[in-house]
Amino acid sequence: MTQKDYRPMWKELGLNLVGHDQLLNVLGQAYKDIYMRQENRPKGMQYLDFVISEAHGLRIEELMETKKKGNKVIGTFCVYVPEELILAVGATCVGLCAGAEIGIDEAEKVLPRNTCALIKSFMGFKLAGLCPYIQASDLVVGETTCDGKKKAYEILNDYKETYVMEIPQMKTERDRTLWRGEIIQFKDKVEQLSGRKITSENLREGIKIVNNKRRVLQRLSSLREAIPSPISGLDALLVNQIAFYDDPLRFTKSVNDLCDEIEDRIKKGIGVVKNGTPRILVSGSPMAVPNWKIPYLIETSGAIVVAEESCVGERSTRDLVDESGKTLDEMIDAITDRYMKIDCACFTPNVERTDHILDLVKEFKADGVIHYSIQFCTPYTVEAYRVEKALQEKGIPMLKIETDYGMEDVGQLKTRIEAFLEMVKK
Ligand code: BJ8
């Protein structure tokens, strides 16, 4: 994927060089097959193509540079971890590799076979020495969302220091108090790690940077309401995936440029598909890079993905932190409230999510919903029942898919998706 010889850097990071070369070859080929075959992509996607081609190269070099200057790198797996506090101390927040079937043999030595692919993936990446992001991180931050992750972090901590934030399970006032306490404790941890104090000034800046990143993703999302769709779901997903590890300022600027171009396309009536192409909302578990399986199957079956009700999508970008806080305390309150709004299926009850899916269907004029759960992900597989019921009541078709990162079921999934799209078209 990458051009320059980064092997000395990868060696210094303790990566398994042979395995890593193989991984990059496989990923490079997959990217060509899935992304580069698309026609009529916006030119602005070239920036994203470049970022992905340098995901293990230039971006890691940048992280190593910032570390040399005394700044820290913090790796995360969940959108509950408040990036604002990390940026406030001049540290960098990166999403860690968890979207590919990698190091499964190693992962299964410490985890049961019937574990969610995302969890197995991050464990596999670490144990097989294939994720430069975790190697470059000074600290990994986990969270008590689902049981699988919670228990896996205990094991991950044997290999890499993993700090765990306690996420409440409900949304009462008592839960808010707990979550606020967690944020304060995380603030202390970040201060101690970086040796820098969080002040109202640097936190205001952190809030602004993250809000702006979310604003540009909201902008991209709202442009996808247009008919015909001006950008493929695969490309939009890629933008949302890259948001987790690119430099936030550069990313915001590049995606804003992309949005300008898309706006222009909409004015000219340019789309990536014809009018009348079935419009699909994908909802459920997050799709970490390079998990492109479901949107690829949908978009090569004659439909277009118009939105993702997912943590790599709408769920993590729709809410901003209120910027009116003046004191540090007020800002912490604003961060607490913003993150409490995330409607992860780990919460109970979680009616906000179902309501939100119904709103998205309307807003994006979706013809149907494909509910995607990673196999063995109890929160989303169980919640799919309620989502389906709510959609049925409104006469909106839904297809429930449970799968992992493997390719064994691709033929069967394609048949099911095609049959669903036939039904949606009628
Ligand atoms: S806020 S969705 S990013 S926890 S898929 S590991 S839930 S068994 S990833 Fe998530 Fe945060 Fe929630 Fe979002 Fe567990 Fe399910 Fe696996 Fe999951």
Side-chain angles (χ1 to χ4, degrees), residues 6-53:
Y6 292 108
R7 291 172 70 90
M9 175 179 74
W10 295 331
K11 195 166 173 214
E12 192 190 321
L13 282 169
L15 289 184
N16 162 359
L17 291 184
V18 177
H20 190 251
D21 279 353
Q22 287 164 353
L23 169 70
L24 291 193
N25 284 337
V26 172
L27 286 184
Q29 192 53 48
Y31 194 75
K32 264 193 208 139
D33 296 344
I34 295 174
Y35 274 89
M36 303 318 275
R37 54 152 273 288
Q38 299 182 99
E39 285 170 12
N40 200 12
R41 298 170 80 206
K43 286 207 178 50
M45 284 307 297
Q46 283 169 6
Y47 171 72
L48 287 303
D49 291 339
F50 174 72
V51 175
I52 200 104
S53 72

Side-chain angles (χ1 to χ4, degrees), residues 169-171 344 347-352 383 386:
Q169 307 275 289
M170 298 176 102
K171 291 191 176 173
C344 174
F347 276 87
T348 183
N350 194 30
V351 281
E352 298 91 342
E383 204 161 276
R386 286 232 177 277

Side-chain angles (χ1 to χ4, degrees), residues 77-80 116-119 122 143 145-149 284-286 310-312 315 342-346 374-380:
F77 293 109
C78 177
V79 298
Y80 271 103
C116 145
L118 190 149
I119 299 172
F122 72 65
E143 22 38 69
T145 43
C146 65
D147 288 351
K149 267 181 165 177
S285 306
S310 155
C311 284
V312 184
R315 199 183 302 131
I342 301 172
D343 48 9
C344 174
C346 297
I374 299 182
Q375 205 175 16
F376 308 118
C377 166
T378 308
Y380 285 93

